[in-house]
Amino acid sequence: MNWNRVRWLFVRELRDQIRDRRTMFTILVLPLMLYPIMGLLMLQVAQLRTTRHLSLAVFGSENLPADFLPPAADDTAQTVDEAIVSAESRDPQGNKITWHFLSQMPDSADAAPPNVASAPGVANSLEKSATRSWLRQSDFDAALYVSATENNTVEDNPQFQIVANLATDNSQLAASHVHSLIDNWQQQSLRKKLQASQIDLQVLEPANVETLDISEDQSKQVMLWAKVLPLIMFVWALTGAFYPAIDLCAGEKERGTLETLLSGPATRREIVYGKLFAVICFSLMTAILNLLSMQITISVVAGQFAGVQPEYAVLMGPLPLHSIGWLLVLLLPISILFSAVALAIAALARSSKEGQYYLMPLLLVGLPMVMLPMLPGVHLSIGTSMFPVAGAILLSRSLVEGNYAEALLYSPLVILITGISCWLATRWAIRQFETDTVLFRETDRFDMAAWLQHLWRDRSSVASPMMAMVCGAIVLVALFYGRLQSAGGELTWENIARSTIAVQLAMILAPCLIMAIFLTTSIRKALRLHRVSPLDFAVAMVLAISLHPSYVYFAQSIQAEFPFGEETKAALSGIDALLGAAPLVSLLMVLAVIPAICEELAFRGFIFAGLASHRGTVRAIFVTSVLFGLSHGVLQQSISASAMGLVLGIVAWRTGSVVCCILIHVCHNSLSMILVRLGTIFAEPPAILQPFVRLGSDMGFEYTGNWHAISAVLTIAAMAYFVRSPAKTVTRARFAKVTDSNPASSVAANAV
């Protein structure tokens, strides 16, 4: 690659973008103006906060204890008429509360409140509706019913019932204030009773608890902004890269200059790198300017709050300079990743208008990776370091918070994963520019009749990449709604079997079969049902047996890194008991054979063949692995299934058929079921199995250390055979997936 050409293209693209006034306004001027204006609006809006005037109706005020009345109620009490006595008080937030002590019910029948207090806590829907209407008509925010309990005086144990419409803010505030008053009265009443009984009041507070905050103000600021800023920086880096990428790709198509650029001496790869460096510059520039503008604005706003509300000024203060430096270090890999993805997506767009439609889906896909570090309890570890973007954000948080030892420990893995992600995104962008059908698609109006005619007339033996992606999306959506529907009902083996078979046949296999029948010319080729050589079949059988111990170890490591919650464990234990009592033959048929056939025909068959067309081998391997992992409802199984899918994808690619994948899938799931079932039948492994398995801690069988080592060697040899053997078909495909159809069961957790 000629780097002088890349540099020339980079300068050309950068100069063209600088000449665009709209781009420069969005990148340079808008960040400098946006946050000061937002800060000004925040200060203006803060002045609009006013105290609320709440109204509270009290029934049975004669049952109120003498010392219950709110502060200042006795001093300001006045008689309004014969029915109502009013008093005023204020809650801790400064809201004004007017108490209306109703000594008798109003004369109007339709205005009278229902007698909810007659049966506290058991008011039916009719009474609730009538009370809601009465509160609204009488302009009361809440009502308090006070009565004496049976066999007790009011002073000993009054009965309170608060009636409020918690769907409104005023009613929530009034009810909360009354709750606090009742709690305070109960504490004071208990103290008086203890004093009267000559009991030491220390029994109420046996220990004096005091919290000493030794944190620095900067640490509090870092704790707050370390969680918020990564999300904001994600939006900055992505939007700063997306709009220049749209102009450099779709904009050049509209201006007619793309053909001139492609006919020059520069290769497609050099063109991509030149454009990529320009997009990275604008992404970095946007994020840096937004960060600096935000810091300046926060400093001014915090200074305004310092005299009025110092606690907010401390929390919202600007980040220290070293923290900003670590955030800027994070920006470089994130900007490279987003710039490459934006450039690849922009190459798909036929116009700037179409390209702008792709921004929202891209944001929605990337947000989970950014929201993950913001969840409570999520910290930097081996598991979280494996997630693109999320691992980099957690690493930057550790650096910002000063946890340098933790950051140093996991930084190599984070850098490796981020580098691989950037390389894949860059490769995708280069592939887009190397495909003329992508670059020179014409913008035309959508005609449903013509499109359907095109699908039927231009059918091929395998699906197109778009058909494969649509099929994968249909399968995932169907699984989402199907599992929600099957979640209810009685938990029995019959129900589990029926739901599993329905999911496999109707939601995984059916979409692929329907599309293969109507959208391709050969069902056999579309599903990759080709013959395999005896040697491939034999090596696949060895791989199916030898791979299972390594997969079990990997799955257990994933569960140790991301342990199940207590509710999930309880649900899994119930399912394990049902599976342990189910007939072995039906268990293997439902959870091993049927899932293997349906899932392999779908993922390693139809979807794999479509994605592998048009030189999409790598695309087919990774995309089908991700789709296969997402088809499992449990995160731990999704991760292990995606990894197993890569292995099956290589086998599917090299053998040119889905047959070996089905064989591995069936054997893999069957071994998981049999391994657990043997532990319930034998007190110790039979002599013939003792070299391979032993009695585990959970009363099931587990593999011995010697078999782990031997099976690992056999797995490496089998995979070396498949990797070194040539692809058997013209539709080259790769990585796939593996796992059990019922992700809710821990018995099947080690199934493919």
Side-chain angles (χ1 to χ4, degrees):
M1 188 167 59
N2 191 330
W3 289 104
N4 288 327
R5 294 174 184 169
V6 174
R7 180 179 59 83
W8 179 85
L9 289 168
F10 164 69
V11 174
R12 169 189 177 272
E13 304 296 354
L14 197 63
R15 183 174 60 248
D16 290 344
Q17 290 299 306
I18 292 176
R19 291 174 178 173
D20 188 354
R21 290 177 296 177
R22 291 176 298 180
T23 302
M24 296 307 298
F25 177 81
T26 304
I27 301 300
L28 296 179
V29 181
L30 184 60
L32 299 177
M33 297 174 57
L34 179 62
Y35 297 99
I37 294 176
M38 291 176 59
L40 178 63
L41 292 176
M42 290 175 57
L43 295 176
Q44 296 292 332
V45 171
Q47 301 175 12
L48 297 178
R49 184 183 182 276
T50 58
T51 58
R52 302 181 184 225
H53 191 175
L54 309 178
S55 181
L56 179 68
V58 181
F59 294 96
S61 58
E62 66 278 3
N63 297 322
L64 276 174
D67 56 348
F68 176 79
L69 292 179
D74 291 326
D75 298 336
T76 60
Q78 55 181 337
T79 302
V80 178
D81 52 33
E82 296 181 356
I84 298 178
V85 175
S86 66
E88 291 184 354
S89 65
R90 290 187 181 273
D91 65 1
Q93 288 76 31
N95 298 310
K96 181 180 179 182
I97 300 179
T98 301
W99 297 66
H100 297 278
F101 303 98
L102 277 65
S103 58
Q104 63 184 24
M105 295 296 181
D107 297 333
S108 175
D110 59 351
N115 192 13
V116 181
S118 61
V122 294
N124 57 33
S125 59
L126 182 61
E127 290 176 328
K128 290 181 179 180
S129 177
T131 305
R132 197 163 46 242
S133 301
W134 177 80
L135 286 176
R136 185 168 53 251
Q137 294 174 7
S138 305
D139 293 331
F140 289 126
D141 296 306
L144 174 64
Y145 290 82
V146 187
S147 60
T149 57
E150 188 176 357
N151 300 327
N152 286 284
T153 63
V154 175
E155 295 293 339
D156 290 336
N157 191 11
Q159 180 70 37
F160 296 100
Q161 184 179 26
I162 302 172
V163 179
N165 183 7
L166 298 183
T168 62
D169 292 338
N170 285 356
S171 190
Q172 285 185 3
L173 291 173
S176 176
H177 181 53
V178 175
H179 269 294
S180 63
L181 288 177
I182 295 175
D183 291 340
N184 292 334
W185 174 81
Q186 288 177 335
Q187 291 290 331
Q188 296 299 326
S189 177
L190 181 58
R191 288 176 179 275
K192 290 180 180 179
K193 292 178 181 179
L194 291 176
Q195 285 180 338
S197 302
Q198 297 182 350
I199 298 177
D200 189 4
L201 296 180
Q202 291 270 332
V203 298
L204 294 179
E205 299 176 358
N208 186 17
V209 180
E210 180 182 0
T211 301
L212 179 61
D213 185 8
I214 61 174
S215 63
E216 300 178 354
D217 292 345
Q218 287 187 353
S219 300
K220 296 179 181 178
Q221 297 167 7
V222 167
M223 182 183 67
L224 174 64
W225 292 114
K227 293 186 176 182
V228 176
L229 275 182
L231 175 61
I232 304 175
M233 292 176 64
F234 162 75
V235 178
W236 293 338
L238 181 57
T239 53
F242 194 79
Y243 288 107
I246 291 296
D247 187 68
L248 292 179
C249 295
E252 286 216 61
K253 293 180 184 179
E254 293 177 329
R255 293 189 294 268
T257 58
L258 185 61
E259 292 85 349
T260 304
L261 180 63
L262 295 176
S263 62
T267 63
R268 301 290 177 91
R269 182 182 297 270
E270 294 168 352
I271 293 174
V272 170
Y273 276 106
K275 292 180 179 292
L276 178 61
F277 291 152
V279 174
I280 292 173
C281 285
F282 282 101
S283 178
L284 289 172
M285 194 182 307
T286 302
I288 292 173
L289 290 177
N290 274 277
L291 179 61
L292 295 179
S293 179
M294 187 175 181
Q295 284 290 103
I296 296 173
T297 304
I298 290 174
S299 302
V300 175
V301 173
Q304 294 291 328
F305 279 101
V308 182
Q309 293 177 314
E311 65 277 7
Y312 291 118
V314 170
L315 292 176
M316 297 180 59
L319 278 173
L321 292 179
H322 74 277
S323 299
I324 298 177
W326 288 122
L327 290 175
L328 295 179
V329 172
L330 164 71
L331 269 179
L332 181 60
I334 296 298
S335 295
I336 294 175
L337 177 60
F338 289 156
S339 298
V341 172
L343 197 64
I345 293 178
L348 293 172
R350 292 171 290 189
S351 63
S352 299
K353 181 179 179 180
E354 179 185 343
Q356 294 175 3
Y357 294 149
Y358 297 151
L359 178 60
M360 185 56 66
L362 186 58
L363 281 171
L364 295 178
V365 171
L367 274 178
M369 292 293 99
V370 182
M371 297 297 294
L372 177 63
M374 300 180 65
L375 297 177
V378 177
H379 59 278
L380 190 61
S381 62
I382 295 179
T384 54
S385 299
M386 299 292 291
F387 289 93
V389 181
I393 292 176
L394 289 172
L395 177 62
S396 67
R397 184 199 295 182
S398 297
L399 293 172
V400 169
E401 294 176 350
N403 300 326
Y404 299 115
E406 180 184 68
L408 183 62
L409 178 63
Y410 297 107
S411 58
L413 183 58
V414 173
I415 293 173
L416 176 63
I417 297 299
T418 305
I420 293 175
S421 302
C422 294
W423 175 79
L424 291 174
T426 305
R427 179 185 172 92
W428 182 29
I430 294 173
R431 286 292 306 274
Q432 296 295 88
F433 273 81
E434 291 176 345
T435 307
D436 291 339
T437 56
V438 174
L439 289 178
F440 300 111
R441 292 188 302 162
E442 296 181 357
T443 304
D444 51 5
R445 293 184 177 274
F446 179 73
D447 188 341
M448 177 63 74
W451 180 67
L452 293 175
Q453 184 180 7
H454 159 70
L455 288 179
W456 180 261
R457 183 186 64 242
D458 300 332
R459 291 179 301 162
S460 61
S461 59
V462 297
S464 65
M466 182 57 67
M467 292 179 189
M469 290 300 298
V470 171
C471 181
I474 292 174
V475 170
L476 294 182
V477 173
L479 288 174
F480 173 75
Y481 288 106
R483 284 172 179 153
L484 289 180
Q485 293 296 326
S486 60
E490 185 180 0
L491 191 61
T492 62
W493 164 245
E494 290 75 14
N495 290 338
I496 293 176
R498 274 196 297 267
S499 63
T500 301
I501 294 173
V503 165
Q504 292 294 327
L505 296 180
M507 301 173 189
I508 295 180
L509 184 60
C512 301
L513 283 179
I514 293 173
M515 296 184 73
I517 292 172
F518 291 100
L519 300 181
T520 63
T521 59
S522 174
I523 299 178
R524 183 177 63 86
K525 292 182 179 179
L527 299 179
R528 307 183 80 244
L529 293 171
H530 306 294
R531 291 183 179 180
V532 296
S533 65
L535 182 58
D536 288 346
F537 193 86
V539 175
M541 178 63 75
V542 173
L543 181 63
I545 299 175
S546 64
L547 183 62
H548 192 257
S550 300
Y551 181 82
V552 170
Y553 179 79
F554 178 73
Q556 291 174 349
S557 302
I558 295 297
Q559 294 180 15
E561 184 67 27
F562 303 102
F564 291 115
E566 295 299 327
E567 295 182 357
T568 305
K569 288 181 180 179
L572 294 179
S573 62
I575 296 176
D576 287 346
L578 293 175
L579 298 182
L584 182 59
V585 175
S586 60
L587 185 69
L588 294 178
M589 182 61 65
V590 172
L591 296 183
V593 178
I594 294 178
I597 295 174
C598 295
E599 292 176 358
E600 293 307 318
L601 289 177
F603 292 98
R604 250 71 61 183
F606 184 83
I607 298 176
F608 194 89
L611 293 174
S613 60
H614 304 292
R615 298 190 303 161
T617 301
V618 176
R619 173 182 60 196
I621 292 174
F622 283 97
V623 173
T624 52
S625 298
V626 173
L627 292 176
F628 185 70
L630 292 176
S631 66
H632 297 79
V634 179
L635 173 64
Q636 293 82 353
Q637 288 185 336
S638 296
I639 297 174
S640 55
S642 299
M644 187 68 175
L646 299 178
V647 176
L648 291 180
I650 294 178
V651 175
W653 171 39
R654 290 303 188 181
T655 60
S657 174
V658 76
V659 174
C660 289
C661 295
I662 294 177
L663 171 66
I664 297 174
H665 204 148
V666 171
C667 293
H668 195 91
N669 287 359
S670 300
L671 286 174
S672 299
M673 307 300 165
I674 295 173
L675 200 63
V676 177
R677 181 58 64 88
L678 288 177
T680 62
I681 299 176
F682 299 100
E684 60 181 16
I688 192 174
L689 297 178
Q690 288 181 1
F692 307 99
V693 296
R694 63 189 178 190
L695 187 63
S697 58
D698 57 350
M699 302 308 294
F701 286 173
E702 62 182 17
Y703 292 109
T704 61
N706 292 335
W707 176 237
H708 267 289
I710 296 173
S711 64
V713 174
L714 293 176
T715 300
I716 294 174
M719 289 304 301
Y721 166 80
F722 284 118
V723 170
R724 295 176 63 87
S725 63
K728 302 300 190 301
T729 61
V730 294
T731 54
R732 297 171 295 176
R734 270 192 191 178
F735 294 50
K737 92 172 197 181
V738 176
T739 224
D740 174 69
S741 63
N742 188 0
S745 173
S746 60
V747 171
N750 295 326
V752 173

